[in-house]
Amino acid sequence: QVQLVESGGGSVQAGGSLTLSCAASGYTISSYCMGWFRQAPGKEREGVATINSDGRTRYGNSVNGRFTISHDNAKNTLTLQMNSLKPEDTAMYYCAASARDVAWWAMFDKRAYNYWGQGTQVTVSS
């Protein structure tokens, strides 16, 4: 049984940093595509950052250059380093894992992911 548990969310002022973690059980994080999505109130869930087993990544335009996704294989944990946070980054952040690698053009397609965590809230104040 695959479980994904996110942690690291919280409240921070604009310009600050947070590191999100997604601890996986029943799943090896570097095996297939994993990613971070977020959903703000009243908005669709959107892709933030994704990474395939070969390390290929994709970032959303609004976070490119500020966020970094990576594997921590020793801890079997997916991380998202978020720097220079903005109020518009405020959302519930979800970890997702696929049962296969995903083509770059589909990495932000929610249907490509088989497993989801419960989410961790990130709130950025101005």
Side-chain angles (χ1 to χ4, degrees), residues 16-108:
S17 298
L18 284 172
T19 301
L20 304 185
S21 296
C22 172
S25 58
Y27 183 94
T28 302
I29 60 159
S30 58
S31 294
Y32 302 114
C33 186
M34 292 191 74
W36 289 95
F37 290 72
R38 67 186 182 188
Q39 188 168 18
K43 294 190 176 181
E44 294 266 338
R45 190 172 298 190
E46 64 174 359
V48 175
T50 56
I51 184 168
N52 262 335
S53 62
D54 61 0
R56 187 174 189 185
T57 57
R58 181 176 178 181
Y59 292 94
N61 290 337
S62 64
V63 308
N64 197 22
R66 299 188 296 122
F67 291 10
T68 303
I69 188 171
S70 61
H71 293 133
D72 183 338
N73 293 321
K75 297 180 180 180
N76 203 38
T77 296
L78 182 73
T79 65
L80 182 69
Q81 176 65 44
M82 305 187 296
N83 298 326
S84 301
L85 283 161
K86 304 176 180 180
E88 50 263 43
D89 294 317
T90 295
M92 185 71 79
Y93 283 71
Y94 297 92
C95 175
S98 178
R100 63 189 190 284
D101 269 341
V102 179
W104 186 87
W105 55 267
M107 289 174 95
F108 283 173

